[in-house]
Amino acid sequence: MEKTAVAVGDSTKLEIIFSTRKYRSTVKKSPRIKTNEGGPEKRVHISTTMTERPDSTYPVVNTPYKVDMSQFTEKKVIRKKLEITNVSDEDLQISLVGWAEDYFDVKMPESVRAGKTVEAEIVLHKDVYDKSFDKSLTFELSDEKHSRFTIPVKRTVRNVRTPGTRAAGGSGGK
Amino acid sequence: MNKATKAAILAVTTLLIVGSSVAAPRLLLKEESFDFGYAPQNSKVSHVFWLYSTGDDTLKILSVKPG
């Protein structure tokens, strides 16, 4: 939460982080928001379908199905590629529906033809190079079910030395 | 106009003035739900919801509890 007091006409972000752990099948959660508005608490709802083998989920295969952008040496890790293979027999449109906009950009192809593979790319924002985080990106396909896939994007930064600075810690403090 | 009518008019006017000047915070959620679709086990996924303050007093977020 960016701020807990929101002036009239202003807005704030509420980030919901969900740890998928060993959950199976579909999981729904509804965090409650209590405000000075009075009345019943408001809720936001999230749902996800856990996959044990997400590398073989129809109609696309995402490789990798989890993106690790960790950096443990001086070699900068600031971009990662992700392959999306269409294993169905129809061409699919791809729509990016959510990602951590404050942390990275996503270059996502608009479509993938049946049987073909396309490449997406995650590019970190410069101001998060020394930060560790757990975020994700979500895209939706144009198949009959409008299938959605969420790719976790994780980054841990340790022992990074840049000229004139001390090593950055795992929590990524500036 | 008799005394009773005057008192009634005064009471109604007072109620209207007080009623219109009580500021009330209001939370608006333009998006109330998000579907992550398929996600792998043993990982963390996240989504940002925007909270809008659309009342006429400052909105205070007192707590957010998992549900």
Side-chain angles (χ1 to χ4, degrees), chain A residues 149-160:
Chain A
F149 292 84
T150 292
I151 311 288
V153 179
K154 178 184 179 179
R155 179 174 173 85
T156 303
V157 180
R158 282 200 205 105
N159 301 322
V160 179

Side-chain angles (χ1 to χ4, degrees), chain A residues 4 42 45-46 62 90 97 126 130 132 165 168:
Chain A
T4 54
K42 287 194 173 162
H45 309 277
I46 57 167
N62 303 310
E90 61 171 329
V97 292
K126 207 169 185 176
D130 62 351
S132 297
T165 63

Side-chain angles (χ1 to χ4, degrees), chain A residues 27-142:
Chain A
V27 177
K28 293 181 179 181
K29 298 282 179 185
S30 299
R32 305 190 306 272
I33 305 165
K34 187 176 180 185
T35 69
N36 61 336
E37 188 184 29
E41 292 173 335
K42 287 194 173 162
R43 288 173 179 265
V44 289
H45 309 277
I46 57 167
S47 61
T48 181
T49 303
M50 245 53 76
T51 51
E52 285 183 64
R53 293 194 56 201
D55 52 338
S56 60
T57 309
Y58 191 80
V60 293
V61 173
N62 303 310
T63 312
Y65 58 84
K66 290 181 185 180
V67 173
D68 190 345
M69 301 191 76
S70 294
Q71 183 175 308
F72 299 118
T73 66
E74 289 185 31
K75 189 183 174 189
K76 281 189 163 47
V77 178
I78 56 173
R79 57 181 71 225
K80 279 274 181 178
K81 288 188 173 164
L82 163 72
E83 284 186 351
I84 301 167
T85 301
N86 182 351
V87 293
S88 77
D89 54 6
E90 61 171 329
D91 296 348
L92 297 168
Q93 302 295 312
I94 307 171
S95 308
L96 197 58
V97 292
W99 73 100
E101 296 174 33
D102 293 340
Y103 287 78
F104 51 80
D105 292 320
V106 183
K107 294 176 184 173
M108 181 66 78
E110 290 179 358
S111 62
V112 54
R113 298 187 71 120
K116 299 289 182 187
T117 298
V118 291
E119 222 172 52
E121 189 175 37
I122 299 163
V123 183
L124 286 189
H125 290 184
K126 207 169 185 176
D127 58 340
V128 300
Y129 283 0
D130 62 351
K131 286 187 178 172
S132 297
F133 59 79
D134 281 289
K135 304 292 174 187
S136 61
L137 69 91
T138 303
F139 64 87
E140 185 175 297
L141 302 173
S142 62

